[in-house]
Amino acid sequence: MNIAIITGASSGLGRAYARLLDEEQLDELWLVARREDRLQALAHELTTPCRVFARDLTADDVLTGLQARLGERRDTEVRWLINAAGYGRIGYTTDIPLTDQLKLIDLNVKAAVALTQLVLPFMSAGSHILEIASCAGFQPIPGLNLYAASKAFLLRYSRGLAYELAPQGIQVTAVCPYWIKDTEFIGVAQQTDTRHLFTGFPLASTAAQVAHRSLRAAKNGITVCTPDVMSFLHRICCTLLPHRFLMAASVLFHKLHH
């Protein structure tokens, strides 16, 4: 039984991936997110049979439950794992409650690593892992510091994992988009932006664009995918320029688009 597991599937990028993988002739799609009503609505849209897991990935027992379900059949093959669950907080570190910071780390970092580790025994040659990072992971970003740091971790984790799993034929891709305008991410992240640091998001992409381009990149064996012009340029700048300069440039850029 060939399956795909998609976290954060109730909205935004995760939902866009689910719609694309609906065309991949898989036996089942496993949709994971907190909001069951949205997952059920998505499942009814798709032609591939779906299992809905209304779970908070930061809960202690959720991964144990998923592992048990994976082990129900001896022929289960995870062909796609897409770790799209995550969120951000805009604001200086001193403005963001510690509980928010720790939850961000738990979801963006710990949950992604734990689910990847859990799924690997059910993967084989031809399987794909997509870790949804961000071009924010290319450099430190004042006002988006912890989020950028969490995505820097995912980026480096993905690159190392891709090297380790290459002999097994398992492809790992870090997806590093710029802002995506048609998801809930920006609105949620702005809840802590009391200084109004980030108010303009020019040239932002759509979830459908990012999902389509990154899925194609994964199929072509690309380890780091920058699926839009801004993320591609950002990646180049971060290889050529010192981070201190880039941090100052980031602050100036957002002031100009205030």
Side-chain angles (χ1 to χ4, degrees):
M1 181 176 71
N2 293 328
I3 70 170
I5 300 175
I6 307 158
T7 71
S10 62
S11 64
L13 199 51
R15 184 169 58 190
Y17 281 119
R19 287 172 172 159
L20 288 174
L21 290 177
D22 191 34
E23 303 170 2
E24 291 293 315
Q25 298 182 337
L26 296 162
D27 295 307
E28 286 186 351
L29 299 179
W30 290 21
L31 310 177
V32 186
R34 290 175 299 137
R35 294 172 290 191
E36 184 170 8
D37 57 337
R38 294 198 180 191
L39 292 177
Q40 293 289 0
L42 175 61
H44 283 103
E45 289 180 26
L46 306 177
T47 58
T48 306
C50 295
R51 291 200 198 188
V52 166
F53 296 87
R55 305 286 191 274
D56 180 349
L57 285 170
T58 63
D60 292 336
D61 60 343
V62 65
L63 295 177
T64 303
L66 283 171
Q67 187 175 34
R69 298 296 291 272
L70 282 167
E72 287 177 350
R73 291 182 50 154
R74 303 180 74 178
D75 64 342
T76 297
E77 285 278 344
V78 179
R79 309 312 292 172
W80 293 89
L81 169 63
I82 300 184
N83 277 315
Y87 81 109
R89 282 290 187 253
I90 297 172
Y92 286 167
T93 302
T94 51
D95 297 336
I96 301 173
L98 178 60
T99 52
D100 274 11
Q101 297 188 44
L102 295 178
K103 185 176 180 181
L104 186 152
I105 294 169
D106 284 346
L107 184 57
N108 291 12
V109 176
K110 290 175 64 177
V113 172
L115 187 55
T116 301
Q117 189 74 12
L118 182 153
V119 166
L120 279 174
F122 301 92
M123 292 185 140
S124 59
S127 293
H128 292 81
I129 299 170
L130 272 70
E131 305 285 1
I132 309 306
S134 166
C135 67
F138 295 146
Q139 67 161 94
I141 301 180
L144 201 62
N145 184 30
L146 187 60
Y147 174 78
S150 73
K151 296 305 184 179
F153 172 90
L154 272 185
L155 173 59
R156 282 151 182 77
Y157 169 72
S158 299
R159 297 194 71 145
L161 190 64
Y163 188 90
E164 292 177 355
L165 297 179
Q168 301 175 44
I170 300 172
Q171 171 65 35
V172 182
T173 300
V175 184
C176 300
Y178 180 61
W179 296 103
I180 302 173
K181 60 188 175 185
D182 59 343
T183 73
E184 299 173 0
F185 177 88
I186 291 175
V188 172
Q190 286 179 318
Q191 292 174 5
T192 49
D193 189 12
T194 57
R195 303 173 192 249
H196 304 291
L197 300 171
F198 290 73
T199 56
F201 307 93
L203 302 178
S205 298
T206 67
Q209 289 170 337
V210 171
H212 174 74
R213 293 168 185 168
S214 57
L215 216 60
R216 183 176 60 195
K219 291 178 179 180
N220 288 327
I222 294 174
T223 302
V224 179
C225 170
T226 46
D228 52 79
V229 172
M230 291 296 285
S231 61
F232 177 72
L233 293 175
H234 191 186
R235 183 180 181 184
I236 292 174
C237 288
C238 289
T239 62
L240 299 175
L241 300 170
H243 283 175
R244 179 177 290 275
F245 172 83
L246 291 168
M247 284 190 284
S250 172
V251 171
L252 178 61
F253 177 81
H254 287 287
K255 282 183 177 179
L256 291 174
H257 292 89
H258 196 284

